[in-house]
């Protein structure tokens, strides 16, 4: 079993930490570090609206190059697509000798799209949750688990720096696990493709469309295949698969055991292995990088194709009714 780490030495972050980017992860890391007593400087492109958001939250904001200058840890929290360009143009020329470069996801390092020079630690602190949850749980006194990794240890203390940063953003409260850039990136890509995002969205869509094609009301199909999913996942998240099965009816449990393996059958498992192979060989990264580097034509087309479905239209209407204020007005 993996060793779960809880504690680190925050004094390793003395001096300042430059958090480049103030989006989902950026705002969460910056505010959590700040509240943990670490001196944080936000690096942003001038003219962004997030500049005033960060200042209003009580943080110091500078243009990227200025924030990087003087920082001992530079956390690159920009969208993965823009990291290579911003790193080369605005971060690298201002990096202090010996400064550590920190990532929240391993993609750009594993596939060699961002390459900090020899004298710099290259580390990762990857929270296993969306940025807004990382911030909310910290504010409530809890934390989001995180993975840490060292790609290059130039200073001799790269691991301890990553650990300190992870503790600073509150991950120690939930558990920190050591990994490698390769393991984090490959499992992250696999998870989002096969289970969390791709697998789940298609499972919902297939279930909804099967019911609607058979003549059932779309609203009923929506409640069944999408709305209730969250309630079931909440139970699984709280106590595992058997806890969920304990809570549902025996009829639902019987159908779970008898039909689940027929939906996720041998063919699906083989497809999952194929996806993993494409991730491990770099074929998936190659396809996505080519798209990113040419203005994302494939992503734009896929996004447009996914819009305007009956599932989304029905959902928008029903979710409108379930907004808290409307529900109160009726009830
Ligand atoms: P984001 O899209 O939320 O943040 C974008 C930030 O970068 C904003 O401040 C934006 O203004 C700035 N930005 C965008 N384009 C820019 C440009 N061309 N030049 C300068 N600044 C620009 O990003 P994110 O989702 O927080 O992702 C940051 C990193 O965290 C990525 O490596 C991602 O893989 C990783 N990560 C994200 C999540 C998540 O919850 N979103 C979870 C785990 C890891
Ligand atoms: Mg992930």
């Amino acid at each position: 079993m993996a060793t779960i780490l809880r504690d680190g030495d925050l004094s390793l972050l003395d001096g300042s930490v430059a958090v480049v980017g103030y989006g989902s992860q950026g705002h969460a890391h910056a505010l959590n570090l700040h509240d943990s007593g670490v001196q944080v400087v936000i690096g942003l492109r001038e003219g962004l609206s997030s500049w005033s958001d960060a200042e209003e939250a009580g943080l110091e904001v500078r243009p990227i190059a200025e924030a990087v200058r003087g920082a001992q840890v530079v956390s690159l929290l920009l969208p993965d697509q823009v990291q290579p360009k911003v790193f080369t143009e605005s971060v690298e020329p201002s990096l202090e000798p010996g400064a550590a470069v920190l990532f929240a996801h391993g993609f750009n390092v594993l596939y060699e799209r961002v390459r900090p020079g020899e004298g710099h630690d290259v580390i990762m602190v990857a929270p296993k949750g969306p940025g807004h949850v990382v911030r909310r749980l910290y504010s409530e006194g809890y934390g989001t688990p995180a993975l840490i990794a060292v790609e290059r240890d130039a200073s001799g203390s790269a691991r301890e720096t990553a650990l300190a940063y992870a503790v600073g953003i509150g991950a120690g409260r939930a558990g920190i696990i050591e990994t490698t850039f390769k393991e984090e990136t490959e499992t992250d890509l696999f998870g989002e493709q096969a289970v969390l995002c791709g697998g789940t969205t298609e499972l919902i869509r297939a279930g909804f469309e099967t019911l609607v094609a058979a003549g059932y009301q779309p609203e009923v199909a929506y409640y069944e295949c999408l709305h209730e999913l969250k309630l079931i996942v909440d139970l699984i998240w709280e106590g595992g698969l058997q806890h969920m099965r304990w809570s549902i009816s025996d009829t639902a449990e019987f159908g779970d055991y008898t039909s689940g393996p027929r939906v996720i059958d041998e063919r699906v498992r083989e497809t999952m292995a194929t996806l993993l192979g494409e991730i491990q060989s770099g074929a998936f990264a190659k396809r996505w990088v080519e798209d990113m580097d040419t203005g994302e034509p494939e992503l734009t087309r896929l996004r447009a194709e996914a819009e305007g479905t009956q599932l989304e239209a029905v959902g928008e209407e029903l979710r409108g009714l379930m907004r808290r204020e409307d529900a109160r007005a009726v009830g």
Side-chain angles (χ1 to χ4, degrees):
M1 227 190 123
T3 306
I4 312 284
L5 306 164
R6 310 296 300 250
D7 216 358
D9 179 5
L10 283 181
S11 74
L12 287 167
L13 304 178
D14 279 355
S16 75
V17 173
V19 172
V20 180
Y22 197 70
S24 178
Q25 290 294 324
H27 93 288
H29 292 213
L31 291 169
N32 292 5
L33 287 168
H34 177 77
D35 291 351
S36 295
V38 175
Q39 193 196 330
V40 177
V41 184
I42 310 294
L44 284 183
R45 212 170 28 164
E46 274 159 290
L48 285 181
S49 62
S50 43
W51 189 295
S52 51
D53 295 343
E55 280 186 340
E56 278 161 28
L59 298 167
E60 184 184 342
V61 190
R62 296 264 175 270
I64 296 175
E66 273 182 46
V68 168
R69 216 167 287 135
Q72 274 312 299
V73 178
V74 176
S75 181
L76 215 53
L77 299 179
L78 302 164
D80 294 311
Q81 298 99 300
V82 311
Q83 284 180 11
K85 186 167 184 286
V86 174
F87 182 78
T88 310
E89 288 176 4
S90 311
V91 174
E92 198 164 29
S94 304
L95 268 184
E96 296 291 340
V101 183
L102 185 148
F103 296 82
H105 177 39
F107 190 96
N108 282 322
V109 171
L110 182 65
Y111 299 115
E112 300 185 335
R113 289 173 52 78
V114 178
R115 299 166 165 221
E118 287 296 329
H120 301 284
D121 290 352
V122 178
I123 57 182
M124 174 168 56
V125 176
K128 291 282 99 181
H132 296 91
V133 176
V134 173
R135 177 57 186 160
R136 176 161 49 79
L137 288 177
Y138 181 93
S139 309
E140 293 169 359
Y142 304 105
T144 304
L147 303 181
I148 61 167
V150 174
E151 178 73 10
R152 185 194 297 125
D153 183 6
S155 66
S157 55
R159 175 184 178 272
E160 282 62 40
T161 304
L163 191 54
Y165 185 102
V167 168
I169 64 169
R173 296 166 175 179
I176 300 162
I177 295 181
E178 284 186 79
T179 181
T180 60
F181 275 64
K182 188 172 161 61
E183 183 179 63
E184 186 276 340
T185 305
E186 292 176 353
T187 54
D188 197 66
L189 292 172
F190 177 79
E192 62 205 18
Q193 292 177 25
V195 181
L196 304 175
C197 309
T200 302
T201 53
E202 281 306 305
L203 187 66
I204 292 170
R205 220 161 65 92
F208 176 84
E209 289 173 2
T210 300
L211 286 176
V212 172
Y216 296 99
Q217 298 179 76
E219 292 80 6
V220 174
Y222 177 88
Y223 285 140
E224 196 52 50
C225 298
L226 192 151
H227 179 74
E228 278 199 62
L229 184 63
K230 174 177 169 15
L231 314 178
I232 292 293
V233 170
D234 282 349
L235 290 170
I236 295 173
W237 184 84
E238 280 164 24
L241 301 180
Q242 286 307 105
H243 171 71
M244 180 277 285
R245 285 167 171 151
W246 162 81
S247 174
I248 60 182
S249 69
D250 286 354
T251 309
E253 187 182 358
F254 184 72
D256 172 336
Y257 297 130
T258 55
S259 299
R262 296 177 60 198
V263 176
I264 307 299
D265 59 7
E266 228 8 80
R267 198 194 58 77
V268 172
R269 286 169 186 267
E270 279 164 22
T271 305
M272 286 191 180
T274 303
L275 297 181
L276 185 57
E278 289 168 6
I279 290 164
Q280 290 166 333
S281 74
F284 170 78
K286 183 166 179 289
R287 176 174 171 185
W288 172 220
V289 164
E290 269 169 21
D291 199 51
M292 283 193 256
D293 289 349
T294 52
E296 301 175 359
E298 189 173 12
L299 177 62
T300 306
R301 176 176 58 76
L302 293 169
R303 208 176 254 163
E305 283 170 11
E307 266 163 25
T309 61
Q310 186 184 20
L311 172 70
E312 293 288 78
V314 171
E316 201 171 329
E317 194 189 329
L318 295 180
R319 285 191 301 273
L321 300 175
M322 291 183 281
R323 269 187 226 115
R324 282 170 202 271
E325 59 273 28
D326 299 352
R328 222 181 284 128
V330 176

